[in-house]
Amino acid sequence: MDFNIVMITLGVAFLLAVIMGPLFIPLLRRLKFGQQIRTDGPQGHLKKAGTPTMGGIIIMLALALAVLRFGEKNMETVILLLASLGYGFIGFLDDYIKILFKRSLGLTAKQKLIGQLLISAIVCLLLVQSGHSTDIRIPFFDVSFDLGWLYFPFIVFLMLGTSNAVNFTDGLDGLLAGTSAIAFGAYAIIALNNTQPNVAIFSAAMVGAVLGFLVFNAHPAKVFMGDTGSLGIGGGLVAVAILTKAEILLALIGGVFLTEILSVVIQVVSFKTRGKRVFKMSPIHHHFELVGWSEWRVVISFWTAGLILAGLGLYINEVL
């Protein structure tokens, strides 16, 4: 029965996103909510300037409506929606400022960090109230140890790191929508295996919402999700990893996101210490573009990598 509800939730979220697309995209265009493109990026991206952004509103609305309809009204649901919608709201403010002032940068790094820390702190408080275990499980070896109070700084770090890693991945048409659908699909399976229907329903709702959005975001994109979508997706992904007690496994299931943020860190450190760049451009998906790969080839390759990593994660977690 749980599996049937999970699949129905996925389908409803998908339909909601598909229905909302033709309603929101013309509205965003009329409001002139167009994407500002980095001039130092791949030159082929300049033609995307003006494409409606903030489409993450579609994802967040479809997600919330589906979860509230099919999920139980309990603390798990509150944590999941707070993490996703809270981070999505920070992204919304970031997107709105970019559009308002016609620039490629919105909130300052400090402002964004404060907002993310606030949402993360509230999530930690709710976890304490719900009696959430502070154990960390090492997958494959099936070894657990209690972090005690250190678990919560670890969760804050995980939320900040993952949400920004997911944000960096949102740079090509359909790239994040596809890779996030795969990651949430893996966590939906883990949640079902753990008999956590609420987490499975949330994960399935996110899969449906991003796949519905992908209908309009696949190359050539008619709309971009903006930080509204990418930060919301990142916050939700960490929340399901926390509640399924598969926090460490996130490094593998979300391996594409980890690679993206590591490429940025490596590039910055290398340039500041040696004066040399390791990649033609970071995040790494732009590097592949600049060596001659088509945008669609990069996206398909990253989707494939995400699928392989998710499969490995499920195997290590003894689900497959």
Side-chain angles (χ1 to χ4, degrees):
M1 185 62 180
D2 288 340
F3 177 77
N4 292 336
I5 295 175
V6 167
M7 295 308 297
I8 290 170
T9 305
L10 190 157
V12 168
F14 175 83
L15 287 175
L16 285 171
V18 170
I19 291 168
M20 284 190 279
L23 300 176
F24 275 90
I25 294 172
L27 176 62
L28 293 171
R29 190 175 290 114
R30 281 198 300 273
L31 293 172
K32 301 187 184 302
F33 283 5
Q35 179 71 37
Q36 303 295 314
I37 303 296
R38 289 171 55 184
T39 55
D40 60 341
Q43 295 303 297
H45 286 215
L46 295 178
K47 62 186 178 183
K48 299 182 180 185
T51 301
T53 188
M54 292 177 72
I57 295 171
I58 296 169
I59 298 172
M60 294 296 106
L61 277 176
L63 168 73
L65 290 171
V67 170
L68 291 173
R69 171 61 182 84
F70 296 102
E72 293 180 14
K73 313 303 187 290
N74 59 20
M75 186 63 82
E76 274 188 343
T77 300
V78 172
I79 291 170
L80 291 164
L81 289 178
L82 172 67
S84 190
L85 300 182
Y87 269 72
F89 180 68
I90 295 168
F92 173 84
L93 293 177
D94 191 48
D95 287 334
Y96 185 72
I97 292 170
K98 290 175 187 175
I99 293 161
L100 187 64
F101 294 102
K102 306 274 189 224
R103 64 192 193 195
S104 60
L105 295 175
L107 293 171
T108 65
K110 184 178 179 181
Q111 290 169 335
K112 193 179 289 188
L113 178 62
I114 290 171
Q116 291 173 319
L117 283 172
L118 178 61
I119 300 298
S120 302
I122 297 172
V123 167
C124 286
L125 286 174
L126 294 177
L127 289 171
V128 171
Q129 288 183 2
S130 65
H132 185 73
S133 170
T134 54
D135 284 355
I136 286 291
R137 175 174 172 264
I138 306 300
F140 192 71
F141 297 103
D142 200 24
V143 175
S144 298
F145 56 92
D146 190 357
L147 281 181
W149 67 268
L150 288 174
Y151 178 79
F152 298 102
F154 168 70
I155 290 305
V156 172
F157 171 79
L158 199 62
M159 292 191 75
L160 293 177
T162 303
S163 62
N164 286 291
V166 171
N167 184 238
F168 279 129
T169 307
D170 184 30
L172 301 179
D173 297 354
L175 177 57
L176 179 54
T179 50
S180 62
I182 292 166
F184 275 101
Y187 272 108
I189 294 171
I190 291 172
L192 282 171
N193 190 62
N194 291 353
T195 319
Q196 293 179 285
N198 245 28
V199 182
I201 284 170
F202 177 89
S203 300
M206 185 69 88
V207 173
V210 295
L211 289 180
F213 180 78
L214 184 59
V215 171
F216 311 102
N217 184 238
H219 186 70
K222 298 178 180 66
V223 64
F224 299 137
M225 69 173 69
D227 284 7
T228 307
S230 60
L231 288 181
I233 289 169
L237 185 60
V238 179
V240 297
I242 293 168
L243 292 178
T244 55
K245 298 305 298 176
E247 304 98 333
I248 302 299
L249 207 59
L250 182 58
L252 184 57
I253 292 176
V256 170
F257 312 132
L258 179 61
T259 302
E260 293 275 21
I261 196 169
L262 283 178
S263 71
V264 174
V265 173
I266 291 168
Q267 186 87 322
V268 171
V269 171
S270 177
F271 187 74
K272 288 190 174 182
T273 56
R274 302 188 304 139
K276 295 181 180 180
R277 292 181 172 86
V278 176
F279 309 105
K280 289 183 178 294
M281 186 177 176
S282 65
I284 197 169
H285 56 257
H286 289 316
H287 169 82
F288 288 106
E289 279 191 289
L290 292 176
V291 299
W293 287 26
S294 69
E295 183 169 349
W296 190 237
R297 181 184 176 187
V298 176
V299 170
I300 292 296
S301 298
F302 277 53
W303 285 358
T304 303
L307 193 59
I308 293 169
L309 291 169
L312 285 172
L314 291 174
Y315 176 75
I316 288 173
N317 203 56
E318 299 177 353
V319 174
L320 294 182

